[in-house]
Amino acid sequence: MSETKMQKQKKIIAMFDDIAKSYDVANRILSLGIDRSWRRDGIKKALSLCKGERLKIADVACGTGDMLQFWHDGLGGREVDLSGIDPSAGMLEVAGKKLKELKNIKLHQGMAQDLNMLDSDSMDVVSISFGIRNVTDLEAGIGEFARVLKNGGILLILEFMREEKRGVLDRLMGFYTTKILPLIGGMISRNYRAYAYLPNSIEGFKSTEELSEILKKYGLNIRLKKTYSAGIATLILCQKEIK
């Protein structure tokens, strides 16, 4: 019997619960902190598409709260109501401790496929960074992003994407993610399998072109696509159709 999407999702959630306390340390060492510049740039570009002085922003698969912190710090004087949503109780516990001094942030336990804590047409921005490949029912998740966004609202996706064409740097990164990353991440977190999951999840995910087609299907029109660090990460900014 094949594994159902929900069974697979529960295994992924349990894995993140297990590595939650060491997640930030492992990620900073493994990425050398370069993901910070990707996040800041993505937020800056998303905000340039937003109107109004007070925004409602939801960060889905918020993990330990890194993106929420970057949203808070990058608003340039604008007021904001931030919602962080993640299915892992362990990750949310870490996020709550990190963000306890910040105002106007609410954390919710939930999955991208079911954002029942958010009203339809209520969000100026929805973001998901390095989490969309972990959504086992991808179309349901994208459908929920489209539902909760206001007309003209912005979806920010930042992800390690599978590309059809591979160069020398892609092969080097492939060696790093399949051989080196699991060893280092496994030693820090004491969970080798969790960090071996990363390269497998990238290979098993959609290409940029395939993801773009699904987004268009749900009325999310791509405004910007950009790659960082020679294609290691990809930023996609979409805008919900104005009806």
Side-chain angles (χ1 to χ4, degrees):
M1 182 182 296
S2 62
E3 189 176 42
T4 67
K5 290 180 179 179
M6 185 52 69
Q7 287 171 332
K8 183 179 179 181
Q9 192 73 79
K10 287 180 178 178
K11 286 184 177 180
I12 294 171
I13 294 168
M15 178 188 72
F16 279 105
D17 278 335
D18 189 61
I19 64 174
K21 291 183 179 179
S22 60
Y23 186 79
D24 283 343
V25 173
N27 271 13
R28 289 294 170 253
I29 292 173
L30 293 168
S31 71
L32 303 178
I34 196 170
D35 64 295
R36 296 171 184 260
S37 65
W38 304 338
R39 294 174 194 266
R40 289 191 184 102
D41 187 60
I43 286 171
K44 181 180 179 180
K45 286 178 167 52
L47 289 174
S48 72
L49 300 174
C50 295
K51 298 178 181 179
E53 290 303 310
R54 187 174 188 91
L55 301 175
K56 295 184 74 172
I57 299 173
D59 186 47
V60 181
C62 68
T64 60
D66 272 3
M67 198 66 170
L68 290 167
Q69 180 73 64
F70 283 112
W71 276 118
H72 180 273
D73 295 344
L75 285 162
R78 287 180 174 181
E79 295 184 357
V80 68
D81 293 312
L82 283 168
S83 296
I85 300 137
D86 198 278
S88 166
M91 299 291 263
L92 288 175
E93 181 181 357
V94 176
K97 292 176 181 177
K98 284 170 61 175
L99 304 172
K100 64 181 180 180
E101 301 299 324
L102 303 184
K103 298 179 179 179
N104 299 326
I105 294 182
K106 294 182 180 179
L107 299 177
H108 307 270
Q109 187 172 4
M111 297 187 296
Q113 303 94 310
D114 183 13
L115 300 176
N116 59 73
M117 71 293 296
L118 302 178
D119 294 332
S120 298
D121 306 308
S122 62
M123 294 289 124
D124 295 288
V125 181
V126 171
S127 65
I128 182 166
S129 55
F130 308 110
I132 198 166
R133 72 183 185 281
N134 298 321
V135 179
T136 57
D137 193 338
L138 181 60
E139 290 215 19
I142 291 174
E144 278 291 84
F145 301 160
R147 178 185 68 81
V148 303
L149 278 170
K150 296 177 181 178
N151 287 337
I154 302 300
L155 172 64
L156 182 160
I157 297 171
L158 186 58
E159 189 54 270
F160 301 116
M161 300 294 296
R162 175 175 62 81
E163 301 300 339
E164 301 295 346
K165 296 181 180 179
R166 298 181 178 230
V168 174
L169 185 59
D170 295 308
R171 291 193 288 273
L172 287 173
M173 282 304 301
F175 177 79
Y176 174 74
T177 57
T178 57
K179 304 298 182 183
I180 307 301
L181 185 148
L183 287 175
I184 300 174
M187 284 190 292
I188 296 170
S189 67
R190 298 184 180 179
N191 188 328
Y192 175 87
R193 194 166 73 172
Y195 283 90
Y197 164 80
L198 173 62
N200 293 332
S201 67
I202 297 170
E203 284 300 313
F205 191 54
K206 306 288 185 183
S207 67
T208 304
E209 292 74 18
E210 290 168 335
L211 179 59
S212 298
E213 288 303 312
I214 300 174
L215 291 165
K216 291 176 186 176
K217 178 180 174 181
Y218 287 90
L220 296 166
N221 298 316
I222 295 174
R223 294 287 304 273
L224 174 71
K225 280 196 282 189
K226 178 180 179 179
T227 59
Y228 297 104
S229 303
I232 296 174
T234 300
L235 170 71
I236 299 176
L237 290 180
C238 304
Q239 188 167 33
K240 182 178 174 179
E241 289 180 353
I242 299 174
K243 300 178 181 179

